[in-house]
Amino acid sequence: MLFLEGTSSAHLYTVLSGCGFRYKLLPDGRRQILNYCFPGDFIGLQGSVMQEMQHSIEALSDMVLCVFQREGLWRLFETHAGLSFDVTWLAARSEQILDQQLLSVGRRSAIERCAHLLLLFACRSEELELAGAPNKVRIAITQQHIADTLGLSLVHTNRTLGRLIRNRVIRWKEQEFEILNRNRLAELAGEVETAKAVRPLL
Amino acid sequence: MLFLEGTSSAHLYTVLSGCGFRYKLLPDGRRQILNYCFPGDFIGLQGSVMQEMQHSIEALSDMVLCVFQREGLWRLFETHAGLSFDVTWLAARSEQILDQQLLSVGRRSAIERCAHLLLLFACRSEELELAGAPNKVRIAITQQHIADTLGLSLVHTNRTLGRLIRNRVIRWKEQEFEILNRNRLAELAGEVETAKAVRPLL
DNA sequence: CGGAACTTTGAGTTTCCTCAAAAAATGTGG
DNA sequence: CCACATTTTTTGAGGAAACTCAAAGTTCCG
């Protein structure tokens, strides 16, 4: 599944299962991943509200989406105050996550960025109760995805993750990583873990 | 004027005049500016919707704000579908700008970041019709602000801007800069200028 | 006029990048 | 289950972008 930037997609989606990510490209191919979309997330609000999408979306695993008609958004606001409030809640929340990423990419070192991202994945995973075991996160990404999320090169990302692995802060096997030393990770990220917010169910 | 992170501000604001910026700090003082707030922008949606603000705000000039009660937001959704739609529109728009910044900070070189930011300022300034002369932007920021917006050090920012000035791409005097070669700037930024969106007036 | 804030420049260092290639894992068809 | 192609991870080496420290100019402002 793939939506391309610039297309005026007529739809809004809610992720029911699976996950994917939003990203932007520069003309020469450099890619920046903006955020990840997990179940419960809303996709396409920008495209619904603005003229066209300014980003692209790609799936990491099979996704099941609930589709809304774009024109329906306006009707939703007229007739379902509660739901439209939730839409706005989700928008505010994803803005918060973007804020965090921007802080990370702008001001944290490579190892701090990795620590913060892994912690973010862990938090979201727990929030969704996707987690089988605690501190284990199952997500189908490659190191290239991590590099493009953190604004680092693939090679440097690999070396930095390697450092975390060698120091027994995390473990990384196949499509899953495990946090061995959460305190150390939080210390590196330099941020208090975010209080879990009650998420509305759309 | 200053709002501190973590405080549970009971208010929502619309900027009527003046401008400011949102930012986050790391424990050791590193600062990342998230975005700038110009007239018409909405401040505090996150704080209204989530438990507390995760960022701080600082004014660059005297600001006149229109204050809403936080509890009023829910009532607004119930009674004024049109206005609540606009609130969401503004949220989607600021998310778009955050996306752009994230791309910039993550994947552009120092000179590309500067070019992109200057262009962004110019676009917003024109959109607001604050601009006296075309290609002139009046904004009360220091190079430290630019550095903290772009995730660069002050020294490197200074050298990079110096390069743009020496090459007659821009001019910089006091609280105002002028774009001398807009094409070159756009070329460096590597992005088509965004189509102007019709902004709702709150 | 003097102090504070901001800009500019120099010098040396570090982080992160690119290029290149090997090793390991994954997937595919026979 | 194996041979082969592809993708992903890992390692080495050298280079460039950006950083830090330090200090000198400038401008701003009371």
Side-chain angles (χ1 to χ4, degrees), chain B residues 23-167:
Chain B
Y23 66 95
K24 282 172 87 75
L25 294 175
L26 287 176
D28 66 357
R30 281 173 284 178
R31 178 175 76 168
Q32 177 66 42
I33 293 181
L34 304 167
N35 66 9
Y36 291 85
C37 308
F38 294 104
D41 285 345
F42 212 59
I43 303 181
L45 183 60
Q46 303 185 356
S48 284
V49 160
M50 319 305 276
Q51 284 321 316
E52 49 175 59
M53 270 202 288
Q54 308 273 345
H55 57 256
S56 308
I57 298 184
E58 203 178 306
L60 286 167
S61 60
D62 291 342
M63 293 178 83
V64 180
L65 301 178
C66 179
V67 185
F68 295 87
Q69 286 302 315
R70 175 161 147 179
E71 297 71 34
L73 186 64
W74 171 241
R75 237 181 359 266
L76 182 75
F77 272 77
E78 278 185 310
T79 59
H80 297 277
L83 285 176
S84 54
F85 189 82
D86 290 344
V87 166
T88 306
W89 189 97
L90 285 170
R93 181 151 178 291
S94 66
E95 205 175 316
Q96 268 197 332
I97 292 180
L98 278 175
D99 287 351
Q100 287 188 30
Q101 278 310 115
L102 191 51
L103 172 63
S104 226
V105 173
R107 287 304 184 202
R108 282 193 249 249
S109 69
I111 199 162
E112 291 169 340
R113 286 182 219 184
C114 287
H116 180 262
L117 182 64
L118 293 174
L119 231 32
L120 181 69
F121 280 145
C123 286
R124 297 214 65 185
S125 167
E126 282 155 17
E127 185 182 318
L128 293 169
E129 290 163 4
L130 286 178
N135 287 326
K136 285 203 180 180
V137 179
R138 166 152 285 279
I139 185 170
I141 55 175
T142 67
Q143 296 188 4
Q144 184 68 67
H145 289 113
I146 296 183
D148 288 346
T149 306
L150 300 181
L152 298 170
S153 71
L154 173 59
V155 173
H156 197 59
T157 299
N158 177 267
R159 292 197 158 102
T160 306
L161 287 175
R163 203 133 66 91
L164 287 174
I165 292 168
R166 244 177 295 107
N167 295 340

Side-chain angles (χ1 to χ4, degrees), chain A residues 19-21 31 33 35-38 58-61 117-118 121 137-150 157 161 172-177:
Chain A
C19 67
F21 59 91
R31 178 175 75 168
I33 293 182
N35 65 10
Y36 291 84
C37 309
F38 294 103
E58 203 179 305
L60 286 167
S61 60
L117 182 64
L118 293 174
F121 280 144
V137 179
R138 166 151 285 280
I139 184 170
I141 54 174
T142 66
Q143 296 188 5
Q144 183 68 68
H145 289 113
I146 296 183
D148 288 346
T149 305
L150 300 180
T157 300
L161 287 175
W172 183 275
K173 42 173 179 178
E174 293 154 46
Q175 303 287 297
E176 189 176 70
F177 71 88

Side-chain angles (χ1 to χ4, degrees), chain A residues 142-143 154-155 158-159:
Chain A
T142 66
Q143 296 188 5
L154 173 59
V155 173
N158 177 268
R159 293 196 158 106

Side-chain angles (χ1 to χ4, degrees), chain A residues 37 43 77 94 153:
Chain A
C37 309
I43 303 180
F77 272 77
S94 67
S153 72

